[in-house]
Amino acid sequence: MVKFIKVGIRIGVVILVLIMIYGGITLAIEMVQSKNEDINSEYFSVIDDIKVSENRATPSFLINDEWRYWGAMED
């Protein structure tokens, strides 16, 4: 009886690990596809002004009367 419980626990742990691996792979694929969709999309706007702050190495853009900052990790 105890042997069956141990086998059941091991099977449950293996199934749980496989589900976690599958979920991680699926999440990674979705993130890559989403990023590729953003990269391949087109943006149509007029940049009214550009400024570089002393605190940042990347510029901020004035688009439609709103200052937008695109950092290294953003689109």
Side-chain angles (χ1 to χ4, degrees):
M1 176 86 171
V2 174
K3 190 173 186 177
F4 290 120
I5 294 173
K6 287 183 181 180
V7 170
I9 290 173
R10 287 182 182 167
I11 291 172
V13 168
V14 168
I15 290 172
L16 182 63
V17 168
L18 290 175
I19 290 172
M20 290 174 64
I21 290 171
Y22 175 77
I25 291 171
T26 303
L27 180 63
I29 290 171
E30 289 292 326
M31 289 175 63
V32 168
Q33 288 176 345
S34 174
K35 188 68 172 177
N36 287 341
E37 289 172 4
D38 288 342
I39 289 172
N40 293 330
S41 63
E42 296 181 14
Y43 297 96
F44 297 99
S45 292
V46 175
I47 298 175
D48 298 317
D49 194 9
I50 300 174
K51 71 176 179 179
V52 179
S53 173
E54 293 180 11
N55 301 344
R56 299 182 190 163
T58 57
S60 296
F61 302 93
L62 180 62
I63 300 173
N64 298 332
D65 297 325
E66 180 182 339
W67 283 101
R68 300 183 185 198
Y69 165 74
W70 281 292
M73 299 302 291
E74 297 179 23
D75 293 328

